[in-house]
Amino acid sequence: MTRAFVIVGTDTNVGKTAFSAALVGALDAFYWKPVQSGLEDETDSQTVARLSGVAPARILPEAWRLKLPASPHIAARAEGVEIDAEGLISPKVDGPLVIETAGGVMVPLTDHVLTIDLLAGWRLPVVLVARTSLGTINHSLLTLEALRRRDIPIHGVAFIGEEQKAAQETIARLGGVRALGRLPRLDPLTRETLRDAFAAAFSLSDFT
């Protein structure tokens, strides 16, 4: 059976692509970004390919590539299309799989389907990536509550940023969730610095 994780964020630009790349590299996993909004800069798939170091065949093609850097339903509307949410099925691969969503769990894919609806259908364990900065307790607990209301399995929380021990402990305790580890903001962010930071902060046994 394929070991798969869905990586979601409390918000956009929270650091889930860097975490996804670290996890993909550590597990030598396949990576899939179902919907990519925004094509002018490096896409998330390209970032993961660059930072993870896995073979190119392990970076699976996106189901939807939309030019506008906006919520998927808005980006799709700008191109005169509608995302086929029912067609977004977790791929079958020979090895671990890491799936990264677009933005937070309440991001709309269509006018009627939210990302969290997709997760409820997949029933795959979710890793919530959360900032350590101000506001993270509220955003994290709201996301965890939304996931639990839909009976979506939660694997744990991965933090990004400078250590904020009290906030991190509060999220784990009140959210009833495992704190998996914390990645600092890395400068420079390279394959090597990311690999070393992940190895120092996370236990690979939590993902195998």
Side-chain angles (χ1 to χ4, degrees), residues 9-27:
T10 54
D11 198 355
T12 191
N13 293 326
V14 71
K16 61 185 170 56
T17 300
F19 175 80
S20 295
L23 185 58
V24 167
L27 296 177

Side-chain angles (χ1 to χ4, degrees), residues 22-44:
L23 185 58
V24 167
L27 296 177
D28 193 26
F30 289 83
Y31 170 85
W32 186 47
K33 176 91 173 185
V35 180
Q36 172 67 51
S37 297
L39 301 178
E40 286 190 5
D41 299 320
E42 186 177 55
T43 67
D44 291 343

Side-chain angles (χ1 to χ4, degrees), residues 35-200:
V35 180
Q36 172 67 51
S37 297
L39 301 178
E40 286 190 5
D41 299 320
E42 186 177 55
T43 67
D44 291 343
S45 293
Q46 290 168 337
T47 299
V48 170
R50 175 171 57 83
L51 292 176
S52 68
V54 298
R58 291 187 176 269
I59 308 298
L60 305 177
E62 303 94 332
W64 293 86
R65 289 172 56 87
L66 305 165
K67 294 179 182 178
L68 188 68
S71 175
H73 76 301
I74 294 174
R77 188 184 304 153
E79 296 188 26
V81 298
E82 181 174 300
I83 292 170
D84 176 16
E86 291 185 0
L88 294 175
I89 300 170
S90 174
K92 304 299 182 184
V93 295
D94 185 18
L97 173 65
V98 173
I99 302 173
E100 182 187 354
T101 65
V105 299
M106 303 306 285
V107 167
L109 296 172
T110 74
D111 288 339
H112 307 288
V113 179
L114 303 173
T115 295
I116 200 167
D117 298 322
L118 195 63
L119 305 185
W122 286 347
R123 315 295 306 161
L124 295 173
V126 166
V127 175
L128 176 63
V129 177
R131 293 186 179 93
T132 58
S133 54
L134 188 64
T136 190
I137 294 175
N138 179 65
H139 293 163
S140 298
L141 294 182
L142 283 173
T143 302
L144 292 168
E145 181 174 326
L147 291 167
R148 285 212 169 89
R149 283 177 63 109
R150 290 162 177 80
D151 234 7
I152 298 168
I154 302 168
H155 188 70
V157 177
F159 293 101
I160 307 288
E162 295 182 7
E163 184 175 32
Q164 300 293 340
K165 189 174 181 180
Q168 293 164 217
E169 289 178 348
T170 298
I171 290 166
R173 176 171 51 84
L174 294 182
V177 69
R178 174 172 46 171
L180 297 166
R182 178 186 60 85
L183 275 180
R185 295 286 182 181
L186 299 171
D187 186 12
L189 175 57
T190 67
R191 182 183 306 173
E192 292 75 22
T193 61
L194 182 60
R195 178 198 61 210
D196 293 347
F198 183 87

